[in-house]
PDB file of all heavy atoms in Angstrom:
ATOM      1  N   LEU Q  98      36.837  79.005 142.187  1.00  0.00           N
ATOM      2  CA  LEU Q  98      35.722  78.104 142.447  1.00  0.00           C
ATOM      3  C   LEU Q  98      34.529  78.855 143.020  1.00  0.00           C
ATOM      4  O   LEU Q  98      34.643  79.549 144.031  1.00  0.00           O
ATOM      5  CB  LEU Q  98      36.168  77.010 143.425  1.00  0.00           C
ATOM      6  CG  LEU Q  98      37.391  76.221 142.937  1.00  0.00           C
ATOM      7  CD1 LEU Q  98      38.024  75.440 144.062  1.00  0.00           C
ATOM      8  CD2 LEU Q  98      36.989  75.307 141.806  1.00  0.00           C
ATOM      9  N   LEU Q  99      33.391  78.682 142.387  1.00  0.00           N
ATOM     10  CA  LEU Q  99      32.144  79.313 142.807  1.00  0.00           C
ATOM     11  C   LEU Q  99      31.408  78.371 143.741  1.00  0.00           C
ATOM     12  O   LEU Q  99      31.298  77.177 143.468  1.00  0.00           O
ATOM     13  CB  LEU Q  99      31.279  79.598 141.575  1.00  0.00           C
ATOM     14  CG  LEU Q  99      29.884  80.149 141.823  1.00  0.00           C
ATOM     15  CD1 LEU Q  99      29.965  81.566 142.381  1.00  0.00           C
ATOM     16  CD2 LEU Q  99      29.086  80.144 140.534  1.00  0.00           C
ATOM     17  N   CYS Q 100      30.881  78.907 144.848  1.00  0.00           N
ATOM     18  CA  CYS Q 100      30.027  78.099 145.707  1.00  0.00           C
ATOM     19  C   CYS Q 100      28.635  78.104 145.086  1.00  0.00           C
ATOM     20  O   CYS Q 100      27.902  79.092 145.187  1.00  0.00           O
ATOM     21  CB  CYS Q 100      29.979  78.642 147.138  1.00  0.00           C
ATOM     22  SG  CYS Q 100      28.834  77.670 148.160  1.00  0.00           S
ATOM     23  N   THR Q 101      28.276  77.009 144.448  1.00  0.00           N
ATOM     24  CA  THR Q 101      26.985  76.925 143.774  1.00  0.00           C
ATOM     25  C   THR Q 101      25.835  76.851 144.772  1.00  0.00           C
ATOM     26  O   THR Q 101      24.718  77.253 144.444  1.00  0.00           O
ATOM     27  CB  THR Q 101      26.939  75.714 142.826  1.00  0.00           C
ATOM     28  OG1 THR Q 101      27.249  74.536 143.569  1.00  0.00           O
ATOM     29  CG2 THR Q 101      27.925  75.880 141.684  1.00  0.00           C
ATOM     30  N   LEU Q 102      26.110  76.381 145.984  1.00  0.00           N
ATOM     31  CA  LEU Q 102      25.058  76.344 147.004  1.00  0.00           C
ATOM     32  C   LEU Q 102      24.666  77.762 147.408  1.00  0.00           C
ATOM     33  O   LEU Q 102      23.485  78.092 147.500  1.00  0.00           O
ATOM     34  CB  LEU Q 102      25.534  75.560 148.234  1.00  0.00           C
ATOM     35  CG  LEU Q 102      25.856  74.092 148.002  1.00  0.00           C
ATOM     36  CD1 LEU Q 102      26.427  73.456 149.254  1.00  0.00           C
ATOM     37  CD2 LEU Q 102      24.625  73.340 147.534  1.00  0.00           C
ATOM     38  N   CYS Q 103      25.637  78.602 147.639  1.00  0.00           N
ATOM     39  CA  CYS Q 103      25.364  80.012 147.958  1.00  0.00           C
ATOM     40  C   CYS Q 103      24.670  80.692 146.785  1.00  0.00           C
ATOM     41  O   CYS Q 103      23.737  81.482 146.984  1.00  0.00           O
ATOM     42  CB  CYS Q 103      26.660  80.754 148.299  1.00  0.00           C
ATOM     43  SG  CYS Q 103      27.329  80.342 149.926  1.00  0.00           S
ATOM     44  N   GLU Q 104      25.108  80.385 145.578  1.00  0.00           N
ATOM     45  CA  GLU Q 104      24.531  80.989 144.373  1.00  0.00           C
ATOM     46  C   GLU Q 104      23.034  80.671 144.292  1.00  0.00           C
ATOM     47  O   GLU Q 104      22.222  81.548 144.034  1.00  0.00           O
ATOM     48  CB  GLU Q 104      25.276  80.452 143.139  1.00  0.00           C
ATOM     49  CG  GLU Q 104      24.966  81.164 141.875  1.00  0.00           C
ATOM     50  CD  GLU Q 104      25.806  82.415 141.639  1.00  0.00           C
ATOM     51  OE1 GLU Q 104      26.683  82.751 142.435  1.00  0.00           O
ATOM     52  OE2 GLU Q 104      25.526  83.060 140.627  1.00  0.00           O
ATOM     53  N   ARG Q 105      22.670  79.409 144.558  1.00  0.00           N
ATOM     54  CA  ARG Q 105      21.259  79.002 144.520  1.00  0.00           C
ATOM     55  C   ARG Q 105      20.447  79.634 145.637  1.00  0.00           C
ATOM     56  O   ARG Q 105      19.251  79.808 145.515  1.00  0.00           O
ATOM     57  CB  ARG Q 105      21.133  77.478 144.591  1.00  0.00           C
ATOM     58  CG  ARG Q 105      21.344  76.831 143.241  1.00  0.00           C
ATOM     59  CD  ARG Q 105      21.077  75.361 143.299  1.00  0.00           C
ATOM     60  NE  ARG Q 105      22.372  74.716 143.487  1.00  0.00           N
ATOM     61  CZ  ARG Q 105      22.561  73.557 144.090  1.00  0.00           C
ATOM     62  NH1 ARG Q 105      21.562  72.894 144.571  1.00  0.00           N
ATOM     63  NH2 ARG Q 105      23.755  73.061 144.207  1.00  0.00           N
ATOM     64  N   GLN Q 106      21.122  79.991 146.738  1.00  0.00           N
ATOM     65  CA  GLN Q 106      20.424  80.611 147.870  1.00  0.00           C
ATOM     66  C   GLN Q 106      20.383  82.134 147.741  1.00  0.00           C
ATOM     67  O   GLN Q 106      19.973  82.815 148.663  1.00  0.00           O
ATOM     68  CB  GLN Q 106      21.094  80.208 149.183  1.00  0.00           C
ATOM     69  CG  GLN Q 106      20.939  78.735 149.488  1.00  0.00           C
ATOM     70  CD  GLN Q 106      21.747  78.282 150.702  1.00  0.00           C
ATOM     71  OE1 GLN Q 106      22.699  78.929 151.105  1.00  0.00           O
ATOM     72  NE2 GLN Q 106      21.342  77.165 151.282  1.00  0.00           N
ATOM     73  N   GLY Q 107      20.843  82.642 146.603  1.00  0.00           N
ATOM     74  CA  GLY Q 107      20.744  84.074 146.353  1.00  0.00           C
ATOM     75  C   GLY Q 107      21.970  84.897 146.715  1.00  0.00           C
ATOM     76  O   GLY Q 107      21.994  86.103 146.519  1.00  0.00           O
ATOM     77  N   ARG Q 108      23.010  84.258 147.238  1.00  0.00           N
ATOM     78  CA  ARG Q 108      24.251  84.978 147.546  1.00  0.00           C
ATOM     79  C   ARG Q 108      25.169  84.829 146.332  1.00  0.00           C
ATOM     80  O   ARG Q 108      25.871  83.840 146.191  1.00  0.00           O
ATOM     81  CB  ARG Q 108      24.890  84.433 148.823  1.00  0.00           C
ATOM     82  CG  ARG Q 108      24.062  84.735 150.054  1.00  0.00           C
ATOM     83  CD  ARG Q 108      24.778  84.376 151.353  1.00  0.00           C
ATOM     84  NE  ARG Q 108      25.280  83.029 151.426  1.00  0.00           N
ATOM     85  CZ  ARG Q 108      24.584  81.973 151.849  1.00  0.00           C
ATOM     86  NH1 ARG Q 108      23.326  82.101 152.208  1.00  0.00           N
ATOM     87  NH2 ARG Q 108      25.133  80.783 151.912  1.00  0.00           N
ATOM     88  N   GLU Q 111      30.049  84.198 145.266  1.00  0.00           N
ATOM     89  CA  GLU Q 111      30.872  83.680 146.373  1.00  0.00           C
ATOM     90  C   GLU Q 111      31.941  82.759 145.770  1.00  0.00           C
ATOM     91  O   GLU Q 111      31.726  81.565 145.608  1.00  0.00           O
ATOM     92  CB  GLU Q 111      30.010  82.896 147.365  1.00  0.00           C
ATOM     93  CG  GLU Q 111      29.010  83.717 148.123  1.00  0.00           C
ATOM     94  CD  GLU Q 111      29.598  84.360 149.368  1.00  0.00           C
ATOM     95  OE1 GLU Q 111      30.597  83.858 149.895  1.00  0.00           O
ATOM     96  OE2 GLU Q 111      29.042  85.383 149.787  1.00  0.00           O
ATOM     97  N   TYR Q 113      35.977  81.204 145.670  1.00  0.00           N
ATOM     98  CA  TYR Q 113      37.085  80.808 146.548  1.00  0.00           C
ATOM     99  C   TYR Q 113      38.294  80.505 145.684  1.00  0.00           C
ATOM    100  O   TYR Q 113      38.167  79.996 144.574  1.00  0.00           O
ATOM    101  CB  TYR Q 113      36.660  79.619 147.423  1.00  0.00           C
ATOM    102  CG  TYR Q 113      35.551  80.069 148.343  1.00  0.00           C
ATOM    103  CD1 TYR Q 113      34.226  80.016 147.930  1.00  0.00           C
ATOM    104  CD2 TYR Q 113      35.838  80.667 149.555  1.00  0.00           C
ATOM    105  CE1 TYR Q 113      33.210  80.512 148.722  1.00  0.00           C
ATOM    106  CE2 TYR Q 113      34.831  81.166 150.362  1.00  0.00           C
ATOM    107  CZ  TYR Q 113      33.522  81.082 149.937  1.00  0.00           C
ATOM    108  OH  TYR Q 113      32.528  81.597 150.720  1.00  0.00           O
ATOM    109  N   LEU Q 119      37.377  76.474 149.527  1.00  0.00           N
ATOM    110  CA  LEU Q 119      36.002  76.064 149.263  1.00  0.00           C
ATOM    111  C   LEU Q 119      35.570  75.003 150.264  1.00  0.00           C
ATOM    112  O   LEU Q 119      34.461  75.063 150.808  1.00  0.00           O
ATOM    113  CB  LEU Q 119      35.860  75.539 147.833  1.00  0.00           C
ATOM    114  CG  LEU Q 119      34.444  75.110 147.426  1.00  0.00           C
ATOM    115  CD1 LEU Q 119      33.467  76.283 147.472  1.00  0.00           C
ATOM    116  CD2 LEU Q 119      34.463  74.484 146.038  1.00  0.00           C
ATOM    117  N   HIS Q 122      34.837  76.631 153.561  1.00  0.00           N
ATOM    118  CA  HIS Q 122      33.564  77.336 153.453  1.00  0.00           C
ATOM    119  C   HIS Q 122      32.407  76.347 153.580  1.00  0.00           C
ATOM    120  O   HIS Q 122      31.445  76.601 154.305  1.00  0.00           O
ATOM    121  CB  HIS Q 122      33.486  78.083 152.119  1.00  0.00           C
ATOM    122  CG  HIS Q 122      32.104  78.541 151.782  1.00  0.00           C
ATOM    123  ND1 HIS Q 122      31.501  79.613 152.413  1.00  0.00           N
ATOM    124  CD2 HIS Q 122      31.201  78.069 150.880  1.00  0.00           C
ATOM    125  CE1 HIS Q 122      30.281  79.780 151.913  1.00  0.00           C
ATOM    126  NE2 HIS Q 122      30.081  78.865 150.984  1.00  0.00           N
ATOM    127  N   TYR Q 123      32.474  75.222 152.876  1.00  0.00           N
ATOM    128  CA  TYR Q 123      31.421  74.218 152.956  1.00  0.00           C
ATOM    129  C   TYR Q 123      31.218  73.766 154.399  1.00  0.00           C
ATOM    130  O   TYR Q 123      30.100  73.641 154.872  1.00  0.00           O
ATOM    131  CB  TYR Q 123      31.769  73.002 152.090  1.00  0.00           C
ATOM    132  CG  TYR Q 123      31.488  73.153 150.619  1.00  0.00           C
ATOM    133  CD1 TYR Q 123      31.999  72.234 149.718  1.00  0.00           C
ATOM    134  CD2 TYR Q 123      30.704  74.183 150.112  1.00  0.00           C
ATOM    135  CE1 TYR Q 123      31.746  72.340 148.362  1.00  0.00           C
ATOM    136  CE2 TYR Q 123      30.445  74.298 148.755  1.00  0.00           C
ATOM    137  CZ  TYR Q 123      30.968  73.371 147.892  1.00  0.00           C
ATOM    138  OH  TYR Q 123      30.706  73.470 146.549  1.00  0.00           O
ATOM    139  N   HIS Q 127      27.671  75.181 155.229  1.00  0.00           N
ATOM    140  CA  HIS Q 127      26.742  74.223 154.643  1.00  0.00           C
ATOM    141  C   HIS Q 127      26.826  72.897 155.396  1.00  0.00           C
ATOM    142  O   HIS Q 127      27.466  72.816 156.433  1.00  0.00           O
ATOM    143  CB  HIS Q 127      27.043  74.046 153.161  1.00  0.00           C
ATOM    144  CG  HIS Q 127      26.985  75.338 152.391  1.00  0.00           C
ATOM    145  ND1 HIS Q 127      25.826  76.044 152.209  1.00  0.00           N
ATOM    146  CD2 HIS Q 127      27.953  76.049 151.767  1.00  0.00           C
ATOM    147  CE1 HIS Q 127      26.068  77.133 151.511  1.00  0.00           C
ATOM    148  NE2 HIS Q 127      27.359  77.168 151.228  1.00  0.00           N
ATOM    149  N   ALA Q 144      28.633  68.846 149.497  1.00  0.00           N
ATOM    150  CA  ALA Q 144      27.910  69.591 150.523  1.00  0.00           C
ATOM    151  C   ALA Q 144      26.488  69.857 150.065  1.00  0.00           C
ATOM    152  O   ALA Q 144      26.184  69.823 148.873  1.00  0.00           O
ATOM    153  CB  ALA Q 144      28.630  70.906 150.806  1.00  0.00           C
TER     154      ALA Q 144
END
Side-chain angles (χ1 to χ4, degrees):
L98 304 164
L99 175 68
C100 177
T101 56
L102 297 175
C103 286
E104 191 85 2
R105 278 186 264 152
Q106 293 173 339
R108 292 188 307 273
E111 293 275 336
Y113 295 87
L119 182 62
H122 166 74
Y123 279 167
H127 303 294

